[in-house]
Amino acid sequence: MFVQLTKEELNKEISKKAWYQTNNIIWMILFVYPLFSIVDFIFANNYWLQFFIARIITDLVILGLYSIFQRKNYNFRILLHISLFLISVTSALLCNIVDIGELNVYYLLFGAIFLFFNLQVFWEPINSVLQALLALVLLGIFFILFSQYNLETVLQNGGTVFFIIALVSCFVPGARYKIIERDVRSQLLITKSNEQLKEQNRDIAEKNNIIDAQYDELRKLDNHKNNFINIAGHDLKNLAGSIIMSNNMIKEEGYRLSADQTEFVGYIAESATKMQYLLNKLMDVKEIESPEMRFKLEVFDINSEVQHIFKGLTETAQMKNIHLIDEIQKTPINVNLDRVFAGQVFQNLLSNAIKFSQTNNNIKVVTSLQRQKFVFEIIDEGISIGQRELDDMFNKLNALTEASEHTENRVGLGLSIAKLMTQEMGGEISYRSDDHGNYFRVEFYVIN
């Protein structure tokens, strides 16, 4: 987070600080300056009353100017220059009319006024230099007009001390101005940073409220989804039960069925059983909420399962004039997997290959044993689907609606599910699509 200050902002804050310091100086002058008459009464008894009146008049003039400058928001430097000039006139005059024995006192008093002023004032050092020069000019004028002593006497009786104090005090405002300006800048940066943090906190609070509202909405949608799954799953289980019961009734009349009809009845029975199994998994709330899928592992001949899937999709392929080439090994290869989910992997891959393939195309289904792994391959040498599109279908559970002249609308859910199931059961799945066609490969570890 970067906070930047404009020149106007900095000048405005410096002006506020300067007016604060100016207020302190003016009110200190108004209260303390008349008290200097006590010194006059002690050391210049002949003039104290006249100078007391002069100090009161000076206070009133400064107070009036102070009110005007504040109301009109004039430059504070002008007010300070006028105030110090009026005080300097009185002090310079006294330094040149009092007796020689009191010169030290009044020059020290004049120097103390300069030192106090420069210790309190907040302005550029050039202003203090101008006031010091102005004080020397006033002392020179009154020295010529009223002094009874020569210059050497004056310098020996306080003049030199005043000159040194006035000169040294002129260096104070420079350092003070830089320090206060740096403090003002730091405070302003801190203030702006705090304002930005407050604004960011408000934004974060608003976003958190939006997130909470969206979370509540998502939770409601999740509850609706679970209710829908429960209702749909329950109804589908009833339908699957009806299919199994009706199929069993047909099987009881098996003597009246042909060989092909008997085979189809077997397919129906097996498919309905698998559907019931998948529905039971779907309806199991613990399964749905679990971060990992649970499988019913069993030892079975995976070549036989692939052969069964192959036969079940042969008629579907023939409807598109697609020729399935059987290169499935007849030798049993045993694996320890979930039979239903493993079959679903092969079914999804082969059915999608048929769906995406072109009419009059050949699709080769090959199984083999390589390095203690069962390998299932689908080789389609027709027009390629496209590697990028396959990546989308395998890696996202979404629908690809892009259609072309040679392909149907492609749904990537089947391939995504096949990849998920394969990986969850400890297998590996790979694919490619290039100028040579489309290729799919699944590997599972076999058991000895």
Side-chain angles (χ1 to χ4, degrees):
M1 179 180 62
F2 296 97
V3 179
Q4 295 182 345
L5 295 179
T6 63
K7 188 175 181 179
E8 292 75 13
E9 290 175 327
L10 183 60
N11 290 338
K12 184 179 180 181
E13 290 299 317
I14 289 177
S15 178
K16 289 181 181 178
K17 186 69 175 179
W19 265 109
Y20 173 79
Q21 295 298 120
T22 301
N23 290 336
N24 293 339
I25 294 172
I26 295 300
W27 285 106
M28 184 68 72
I29 291 172
L30 294 176
F31 283 111
V32 175
Y33 188 56
L35 299 179
F36 285 6
S37 295
I38 298 174
V39 178
D40 298 338
F41 182 78
I42 296 172
F43 295 101
N45 188 264
N46 296 331
Y47 309 109
W48 81 270
L49 184 59
Q50 295 92 320
F51 279 94
F52 174 72
I53 295 172
R55 295 182 195 280
I56 295 298
I57 293 173
T58 301
D59 260 14
L60 293 175
V61 172
I62 292 174
L63 180 61
L65 292 172
Y66 172 71
S67 301
I68 294 172
F69 272 71
Q70 269 205 326
R71 187 168 59 253
K72 300 293 185 178
N73 197 25
Y74 291 150
N75 193 318
F76 69 95
R77 297 174 184 82
I78 299 175
L79 176 61
L80 292 174
H81 278 298
I82 295 174
S83 301
L84 187 55
F85 173 76
L86 293 174
I87 295 173
S88 297
V89 170
T90 306
S91 300
L93 181 59
L94 279 167
C95 287
N96 284 281
I97 64 175
V98 296
D99 295 335
I100 190 170
E102 285 77 36
L103 282 178
N104 274 315
V105 174
Y106 280 95
Y107 271 113
L108 285 174
L109 187 62
F110 197 6
I113 292 172
F114 253 87
L115 184 60
F116 161 77
F117 201 88
N118 284 321
L119 286 174
Q120 294 294 320
V121 76
F122 177 58
W123 62 10
E124 297 80 358
I126 186 63
N127 295 282
S128 295
V129 174
L130 291 175
Q131 281 295 329
L133 294 175
L134 185 60
L136 292 176
V137 170
L138 290 172
L139 285 171
I141 293 172
F142 292 139
F143 174 79
I144 295 171
L145 294 177
F146 303 107
S147 180
Q148 303 173 8
Y149 314 105
N150 57 38
L151 181 60
E152 184 179 355
T153 302
V154 171
L155 292 176
Q156 290 176 353
N157 289 273
T160 303
V161 175
F162 168 77
F163 179 77
I164 294 173
I165 293 175
L167 179 64
V168 172
S169 66
C170 288
F171 293 100
V172 176
R176 178 179 174 81
Y177 186 84
K178 291 180 180 179
I179 293 172
I180 295 180
E181 183 183 31
R182 185 179 61 192
D183 291 342
V184 169
R185 182 187 298 273
S186 299
Q187 291 175 2
L188 191 58
L189 286 173
I190 291 172
T191 302
K192 292 195 71 173
S193 298
N194 289 336
E195 290 175 356
Q196 286 191 5
L197 288 174
K198 289 179 181 179
E199 185 66 26
Q200 290 177 354
N201 286 335
R202 284 193 292 269
D203 292 340
I204 291 172
E206 292 176 0
K207 291 177 181 178
N208 285 338
N209 292 333
I210 294 173
I211 292 173
D212 291 339
Q214 291 176 342
Y215 173 77
D216 291 337
E217 186 67 23
L218 289 174
R219 189 168 56 182
K220 291 178 182 178
L221 292 174
D222 186 63
N223 291 334
H224 291 325
K225 178 263 297 180
N226 288 336
N227 291 335
F228 174 78
I229 290 175
N230 291 332
I231 295 171
H234 183 270
D235 292 343
L236 288 173
K237 283 178 67 177
N238 291 337
L239 292 174
S242 298
I243 292 172
I244 293 174
M245 182 176 64
S246 300
N247 196 59
N248 289 335
M249 293 175 63
I250 294 174
K251 288 171 68 175
E252 291 177 358
E253 302 291 330
Y255 64 90
R256 299 171 56 183
L257 302 176
S258 64
D260 288 341
Q261 290 173 334
T262 302
E263 184 178 3
F264 290 145
V265 168
Y267 284 140
I268 293 172
E270 187 170 352
S271 298
T273 302
K274 289 181 179 180
M275 184 167 63
Q276 270 195 330
Y277 177 80
L278 294 174
L279 286 171
N280 288 332
K281 286 285 185 181
L282 180 66
M283 292 296 293
D284 188 346
V285 177
K286 292 182 179 179
E287 288 279 347
I288 295 173
E289 301 298 333
S290 174
E292 296 181 355
M293 297 179 66
R294 298 179 182 178
F295 299 103
K296 182 181 178 182
L297 301 179
E298 60 178 300
V299 178
F300 63 95
D301 175 16
I302 196 167
N303 273 330
S304 176
E305 184 66 24
V306 172
Q307 188 68 52
H308 181 74
I309 299 297
F310 183 89
K311 289 182 179 179
L313 291 173
T314 301
E315 187 171 347
T316 302
Q318 290 175 351
M319 292 174 64
K320 289 189 65 176
N321 291 326
I322 293 173
H323 181 53
L324 296 182
I325 301 174
D326 182 358
E327 293 190 10
I328 303 169
Q329 282 190 352
K330 303 302 183 285
T331 305
I333 298 178
N334 292 328
V335 294
N336 187 23
L337 301 172
D338 188 305
R339 181 193 292 266
V340 175
F341 281 108
Q344 198 68 32
V345 170
F346 305 137
Q347 172 113 7
N348 285 358
L349 290 175
L350 186 54
S351 63
N352 274 277
I354 295 170
K355 185 175 184 179
F356 302 156
S357 187
Q358 297 78 35
T359 303
N360 299 321
N361 194 27
N362 294 331
I363 298 177
K364 187 184 299 183
V365 180
V366 183
T367 64
S368 59
L369 180 63
Q370 301 178 20
R371 298 180 181 179
Q372 291 300 308
K373 284 186 178 182
F374 167 77
V375 178
F376 170 84
E377 297 171 289
I378 297 176
I379 303 171
D380 175 7
E381 297 179 352
I383 299 176
S384 65
I385 297 173
Q387 186 66 31
R388 182 175 179 180
E389 193 167 3
L390 273 184
D391 288 337
D392 290 337
M393 289 190 288
F394 269 100
N395 293 299
K396 295 180 182 178
L397 288 171
N398 65 343
L400 298 178
T401 57
E402 181 181 357
S404 66
E405 182 179 353
H406 301 288
T407 60
E408 304 174 9
N409 289 343
R410 295 169 177 173
V411 179
L413 289 175
L415 299 181
S416 298
I417 293 171
K419 180 180 179 180
L420 174 64
M421 290 179 179
T422 301
Q423 292 174 342
E424 290 290 333
M425 289 188 292
E428 296 180 7
I429 189 168
S430 58
Y431 55 91
R432 70 169 183 267
S433 181
D434 51 31
D435 295 339
H436 300 291
N438 307 298
Y439 175 78
F440 305 90
R441 179 188 179 98
V442 177
E443 299 179 13
F444 287 114
Y445 283 99
V446 302
I447 60 173
N448 293 329

